[in-house]
Structure formats: C-alpha cells, structure tokens
Amino acid sequence: MTQSTLPRILVLLTTHNGAAFLEEQLDSVLSQRGVDVDVLVSDDASTDGTGKILARYAAAAGGRVRVLEPGVFGSATANFFRIMRDADVAGYDAVGFCDQDDVWVPGKLERHFNVLALPNGLDGRGAYWAVSSNVTAFTAAGERQLVVKNQLQRSADYMFESAGPGSTFLLRPEAFALVQRRLLAPDSVADATAAHDWLAYALVRASGGRWFIDGESSVEYRQHGKNALGANEGLSQYVRRFRSIANGQFRRNALGIVEACLEVASPAERGRLEWMRVRLERLNYLDRLRLARRVSEFRRRRRDQLALAGTLVLGLF
C-alpha cells in the first residue's frame, strides 16, 4: 500500500453532553478534503449518550477517532487544557481545535494548512505559526451572520482578546508544543488563564510567532442556549461583557494572560508585557489614563477600542 502524502492533522475535540450535534460535527471533520485527519477526544462526564456516539465512531473510523479516559473537569476550558496536556502530536503536520456543536466547511483544514505551509507567509515576512478565521453564526431558525475576526492585528491585542473562536484554530506542531509545555510546567500560570484559545493566541504572539486570521469563514458556528461563549454579538452579549468588565473579571483575565506570556516572551515583547502588568496590577487613575490613550493597540475592532477606553476613563474597568 502506498503511504499517503497528504498532510496529517490531529484535531482536538472536547465534549460534554453534546449528543444533539456531535455526529454532524464529527462527520464534517472526518470528511475534510486534501488532508489526513485524526480526532482525539476528551469527554467531561457526559450523561446524554455522547459516550456511545464517540465509541461508535472510534470503532468505525479505523483508528481515526480516539477517546481519552473520560473525567470530570467542570468547564470547557479545563477540559481543553486536559486534552492539550495529554495530546501526543508526534508525526502530525498541524494541530486543530474543535468544538462539539459546530459544522466545518469542507475545505477548512486544507486551506489553513496551505497558509501554514507557505515558507514566507502571504506577505513575504516569514512563516505563520498558526491560523484562525472568521465564522458564520447560525441558528435553528435559519438566521445567519458573518462574525468578523480578521480586523487588522494590533501590537498588543493578544493581551485583551483571542484570534477568534478556538474551533477555527490550526497550529504548527512547534506552536502547539509551546502551549503544551506551559500547561505541563508545574510552575506555570498558564492553566489558570480564562480560555484555551485566548491562551494559545497570546503565547504564540508573545513569543514572537506570526498568526494569520483568515477573512474567509471556515466554520458554521451553531448558536444555541448551551454555547460556552456564543458569537459575541447582540445586546445580551454586550451586557455580559460589560458585567465582566465592571466586576473586574476581564481585568483579572487579561492580567493572567500577561503573566502567562511573560514566561515565554521574546525580547521584543517583554518590555510591553512588563509595562502592561504594572498598569493592570496597580490600576490607579493615571494608569487608567495611560491605558486609555493606547487602546488602539489593545483591540482590533474600533468599537471595542472605544468601549474599552470609556470603561477605563470612567473607572469601570
């Protein structure tokens, strides 16, 4: 038998009571064109038949679907940190992240691997370490909305936001190994951060790696009552984000990311991160003004920059 020359991709999937949509998601991953795909799954105490679905796919997929020993992790982030620690990526050309309830566009992995494979990137400035993309949010009622994440990247946006939904992420093995090492290090603060996708984006950027955010939607992003975050659009999501800012949770999350990034910071990023840590820890009136003056460096979208500036100036951050 001739060995396939297609790139080998390992997709990390976490589940928790995802039986309603899991089969559609798995089918969309396993049928990706132009790549050889394996799926590694970590289940968090599912009680709805998710385990039976995973067992059936594992038996039928000829080793392409493997399930780690189930456990009780308590949150989507903790579950994803577990699978990122335990994944063996040796022999794979890239590592992707996957949610249990979305649907992947057929050419998602092929398109994004081709971006990673470019030796000088799309702009001739060097290879990309990772790629993510826009998504299309959809509801059972047939509503659809493009969720845009590929605004111009800013010098310090990684300290305040992710590169989009983690379900769009594809990382070079070296980039994944960077994140995995921090999650395995007993003295690291990485596993105390708020989100696996934000952490991955931040560590890659802080260490000097380049990240491409694709303007083409690669994931059908299902919206329903059990989304961990949802599309981050609409009044309810703005209220949720405002509350996290007003109660200090967003500042604590950003500070956690900054501290994790300092563990891997390149010389070019270390000064910026140390400056930010001081501001976020102390956060007196002058610190708020200094941060407000530089919000264009912290968020990609203009309205998010203005909202952040407003909360800083008004003392709500």
Side-chain angles (χ1 to χ4, degrees):
M1 184 188 309
T2 303
Q3 186 174 4
S4 172
T5 58
L6 296 175
R8 297 189 67 213
I9 311 293
L10 179 63
V11 172
L12 306 184
L13 166 65
T14 58
T15 58
H16 173 68
N17 290 340
F21 309 117
L22 181 57
E23 292 171 288
E24 187 176 12
Q25 172 66 298
L26 278 169
D27 288 342
S28 75
V29 174
L30 293 171
S31 63
Q32 288 287 301
R33 65 183 183 229
V35 294
D36 278 342
V37 183
D38 289 339
V39 180
L40 183 66
V41 188
S42 175
D43 184 65
D44 184 3
S46 291
T47 58
D48 68 340
T50 292
K52 292 181 179 179
I53 294 173
L54 293 173
R56 188 172 75 249
Y57 273 81
R64 297 178 64 201
V65 176
R66 291 174 288 128
V67 183
L68 297 174
E69 186 69 26
V72 179
F73 307 106
S75 71
T77 296
N79 195 8
F80 227 105
F81 282 167
R82 180 269 180 121
I83 199 172
M84 292 168 77
R85 285 193 295 267
D86 291 356
D88 181 0
V89 304
Y92 289 98
D93 299 301
V95 181
F97 297 168
C98 184
D99 292 340
Q100 66 184 4
D101 47 8
D102 300 325
V103 182
W104 283 11
V105 172
K108 173 190 188 301
L109 290 180
E110 181 181 37
R111 176 182 174 87
H112 286 171
F113 182 79
N114 287 340
V115 171
L116 296 183
L118 291 171
N120 294 307
L122 295 174
D123 54 9
R125 293 175 44 229
Y128 295 103
W129 290 28
V131 58
S132 57
S133 78
N134 295 341
V135 297
T136 302
F138 73 100
T139 68
E143 299 168 312
R144 295 175 61 81
Q145 179 182 4
L146 179 66
V147 181
V148 178
K149 297 296 183 179
N150 70 318
Q151 299 91 353
L152 179 66
Q153 287 173 277
R154 307 292 177 166
S155 59
D157 66 17
Y158 66 87
M159 303 181 203
F160 289 89
E161 62 180 329
S162 180
S167 57
T168 69
F169 285 19
L170 188 68
L171 283 69
R172 286 175 173 266
E174 303 92 330
F176 179 79
L178 168 74
V179 184
Q180 186 181 56
R181 284 195 300 271
R182 300 323 305 158
L183 290 172
L184 288 169
D187 59 342
S188 175
V189 300
D191 66 357
T193 53
H196 71 281
D197 44 7
W198 187 3
L199 176 69
Y201 178 56
L203 292 183
V204 167
R205 287 283 309 277
S207 63
R210 299 186 65 224
W211 192 297
F212 179 70
I213 306 179
D214 187 8
E216 183 170 309
S217 174
S218 69
V219 170
E220 298 284 295
Y221 193 41
R222 192 187 307 271
Q223 300 300 291
H224 55 84
K226 297 182 181 179
N227 289 75
L229 287 177
N232 274 334
E233 301 290 340
L235 180 60
S236 64
Q237 293 298 325
Y238 287 124
V239 170
R240 180 189 62 79
R241 290 203 297 275
F242 178 79
R243 286 175 177 168
S244 75
I245 290 173
N247 65 21
Q249 186 61 51
F250 182 69
R251 179 182 68 85
R252 291 189 292 272
N253 290 346
L255 181 58
I257 288 290
V258 167
E259 291 174 339
C261 286
L262 279 165
E263 297 174 357
V264 302
S266 68
E269 291 298 309
R270 178 163 297 279
R272 195 193 329 267
L273 285 159
E274 290 175 343
W275 183 91
M276 184 64 69
R277 179 168 63 179
V278 170
R279 305 285 89 75
L280 292 176
E281 284 181 340
R282 189 172 58 192
L283 205 63
N284 59 29
Y285 178 70
L286 288 178
D287 291 324
R288 293 178 188 276
L289 292 182
R290 291 187 181 106
L291 289 167
R293 291 180 61 185
R294 295 175 61 171
V295 291
S296 63
E297 302 172 24
F298 305 155
R299 298 298 295 258
R300 295 187 296 275
R301 190 165 57 175
R302 181 58 177 166
R303 71 185 186 193
D304 292 338
Q305 295 170 11
L306 294 174
L308 180 57
T311 60
L312 285 163
V313 171
L314 296 174
L316 300 175
F317 184 80

